[in-house]
Amino acid sequence: MIRLLAGRLLQAAVASFGVLTIVFFVMRLSGDPTLLLVPEGASAEQVAQLRAALGFDRPLVVQYAAYLGDLLRLDLGESLVQRAPVAGIVGERIPYTLALAGGALLVALGIGIPAGILMAVHRGGVLERALAALVLAGQSLPTFWSGILLILFFGVYLGWLPTSGADSLASLIMPAIALGALTMSTFARMARISVLDELSRDYVTAARARGLSVWAAVSRHVLRNAAIPVVTIAALEIGNLLAGAVIVETVFAWPGIGQLAIQSIQARDFLVVQTVVLFVSSVYIAMNLLADLAYAAIDPRIRGRS
Amino acid sequence: MRGISPGMALILLLLVAFIVAALAAPWIAPFDPLRQSLLMRLRPPGTTVAAGMYLLGTDDLGRDLLSRVLHGARASIAVAALSVSISLAFGTLLGLLAGWFRGWVAVAIMRSVDTMLSIPAILLAVLTVAVLGPSFLNLILVLGLTRWPRYTRVAYAQTLQVATLPYIRAAEMAGAGSARILWRHILPNIAGPLMVVATSEFGLMILFEAGLSFLGLGIQPPYPSWGSIMSVGRQYVERAWWLTVFPGACLFVLVLCVNLFGDWLRDRVDPRSQGR
């Protein structure tokens, strides 16, 4: 168990380091990062001054070391557009994105898991076909289209829900459904496959032979075993939901970090964009780690392997 | 071809229709997709004028929506095809090298794969396009150069398997060099699974192009893309439903067809996965 833990931690550390490196070089792809950071309309002298002040005139290796050092001290820098620390700018938007991702996860779990179980139990039936269509739609509907369709129907046509903003809990409903649809499909597929796998095992046949109904077998034995892959996927999906929030937040004008990233690109505030990417990637890596560990904790068969 | 169900035939037909529409857009579009007419702003589908009918209505600058949607198919399919080609070539090459030479080459390549996969792809694309500035070429380069890891994973795993087969040893003993073995003997054998990945990536790239254009980071106005048409449509959602419904429906149907085609291809290449 300890070897496994150490191995996974090392893996996460390597991935984090890789992400930092990629982001560093992407920010320098255009040649001079100073130009990405100065407010629009700055004079050549101001740019030169700033380049020296920010150290962009130093060799790349030195810049890279300084960048890593700053991040290790959790110093994310200051936005030159808003003249405020980046950490604060991003930090105040994070709760909104977490609320959105949480709502989407709730939608995905609440619909996806029962749908997957029903599909497995009613294999070959009409219900399976109907649910399969729902899953397929969730998988193929682009979030920005399903989001707009929800707005058209519930917001404009019926007038039940607000079409944008984050004024009340009702504002969260449509973005959460739009964002959660893809994850819902993933859960339904996973739940279906793992319940089907379990249903074909000997212990289920034995239980059925003793006269247990399918549903009793499912609720007493199958779900516990089928839960393992679903828990793993749930952790991974949280990272995907945060990334998907970029588009959904733009559709619904939801004031989270995704909308912030896009607004910051338009305002040429690249330090904020960089911070959002680093934040989401860290959550992504942390969730991967958590998924691996949860998997090992739940399933004793994994522990022996490295 | 044997064994094509009527459903599959319909999907193939639709895919061909999309490709033909994209290729023939300049000749079949009823209007110039860029010609504005401020008197005809936001007209609903079916509006008739002397020059013809706006079958799908007009946008906020009075441009014909049908013509713009047809030309938008060009952008979608061109971006997806080109970026998939780049990432397929690049990813496969790395996977072949890792699987053939193993050792530190494999460690280095597969570690970079893990790292690339730990940055959410859409965010990496957003950051890179934003830094480089949005353009058709940058869009293809960014998508092409960020989406290779999945191909590398598949090519690596498949190469490891194929490399131990007797005929590869035979080729080696006959004096064939690494490059020749990889190109002539291994690549043809691992092409099937790679095409399955490429198909699912093709659908994903269509969505990425539309998503980035929706965010203003893809195809730039005035040139039409389904994503950018819909982003204008979002602003006029209460007055002009057609601006979001039609391009979105095209996007949905195209991606659905690509995904279903991919599933069908996967079942053919790997019969074990059937029914999953």
Side-chain angles (χ1 to χ4, degrees), chain B residues 34-112:
Chain B
L34 302 183
R35 210 196 64 213
Q36 308 180 359
S37 161
L38 291 181
L39 291 174
M40 298 307 276
R41 299 177 69 232
L42 298 174
R43 293 299 167 101
T47 302
T48 331
V49 290
M53 183 162 62
Y54 296 115
L55 201 62
L56 300 185
T58 62
D59 71 0
D60 60 321
L61 297 173
R63 295 171 294 198
D64 176 45
L65 184 59
L66 175 60
S67 307
R68 290 184 69 75
V69 167
L70 282 169
H71 279 264
R74 273 170 104 80
S76 275
I77 292 175
V79 168
L82 291 171
S83 58
V84 165
S85 310
I86 294 175
S87 48
L88 174 66
F90 190 60
T92 305
L93 179 69
L94 287 178
L96 282 171
L97 293 177
W100 183 247
F101 291 109
R102 281 170 280 181
W104 64 268
V105 178
V107 171
I109 291 177
M110 297 321 286
R111 275 277 165 264
S112 358

Side-chain angles (χ1 to χ4, degrees), chain A:
Chain A
M1 191 67 190
I2 289 176
R3 260 190 59 195
L4 176 98
L5 190 70
R8 291 290 188 268
L9 277 173
L10 185 69
Q11 226 173 12
V14 171
S16 312
F17 180 71
V19 168
L20 296 180
T21 308
I22 291 175
V23 169
F24 175 83
F25 283 104
V26 166
M27 290 291 283
R28 277 150 185 81
L29 273 180
S30 63
D32 187 354
T34 321
L35 298 175
L36 296 178
L37 300 182
V38 291
E40 229 159 331
S43 69
E45 286 157 52
Q46 284 170 316
V47 172
Q49 218 171 29
L50 196 67
R51 184 178 299 126
L54 293 172
F56 289 143
D57 51 353
R58 296 174 294 177
L60 206 58
V61 187
V62 181
Q63 287 184 40
Y64 181 58
Y67 159 86
L68 288 183
D70 284 347
L71 288 181
L72 275 181
R73 281 181 280 114
L74 292 180
D75 176 6
L76 294 160
E78 189 168 324
S79 157
L80 295 168
V81 179
Q82 302 191 41
R83 303 216 165 268
V86 173
I89 298 174
V90 177
E92 64 184 37
R93 301 288 199 105
I94 289 177
Y96 287 97
T97 300
L98 290 184
L100 176 58
L105 196 64
L106 217 62
V107 169
L109 285 169
I111 302 175
I113 304 282
I117 297 171
L118 282 171
M119 280 163 76
V121 173
H122 290 274
R123 191 174 194 189
V126 181
L127 191 62
E128 191 197 6
R129 293 237 177 118
L131 288 172
L134 179 78
V135 170
L136 195 62
Q139 236 180 312
S140 306
L141 275 172
T143 50
F144 49 100
W145 194 48
S146 55
I148 292 173
L149 289 183
L150 287 169
I151 291 174
L152 275 172
F153 190 71
F154 292 104
V156 179
Y157 180 69
L158 293 175
W160 287 355
L161 294 168
T163 58
S164 67
D167 305 320
S168 65
L169 206 58
S171 308
L172 181 61
I173 297 174
M174 290 199 290
I177 294 176
L179 182 59
L182 181 63
T183 306
M184 180 273 288
S185 296
T186 310
F187 282 144
R189 277 160 53 128
M190 281 304 297
R192 174 179 168 272
I193 289 176
S194 45
V195 170
L196 274 181
D197 275 356
E198 289 299 322
L199 279 179
S200 65
R201 289 186 196 273
D202 291 341
Y203 77 86
V204 176
T205 317
R208 296 285 311 275
R210 289 203 319 264
L212 226 62
S213 73
V214 182
W215 279 109
V218 166
S219 60
R220 274 188 224 169
H221 303 290
V222 170
L223 285 187
R224 191 179 310 173
N225 292 321
I228 295 168
V230 172
V231 168
T232 315
I233 297 292
L236 297 180
E237 284 296 325
I238 291 174
N240 286 334
L241 287 174
L242 289 187
V246 176
I247 287 179
V248 174
E249 286 179 1
T250 305
V251 174
F252 289 95
W254 183 263
I257 53 172
Q259 192 201 30
L260 176 68
I262 302 302
Q263 286 169 342
S264 304
I265 287 172
Q266 282 153 8
R268 306 187 48 76
D269 198 351
F270 280 84
L271 226 43
V272 173
V273 187
Q274 171 186 297
T275 305
V276 170
V277 175
L278 289 176
F279 172 73
V280 177
S281 303
S282 329
V283 175
Y284 212 67
I285 293 171
M287 285 298 149
N288 265 302
L289 183 66
L290 213 66
D292 281 343
L293 298 180
Y295 205 62
I298 299 174
D299 190 343
R301 284 170 299 181
I302 309 290
R303 273 176 228 156
R305 304 179 211 158
S306 65

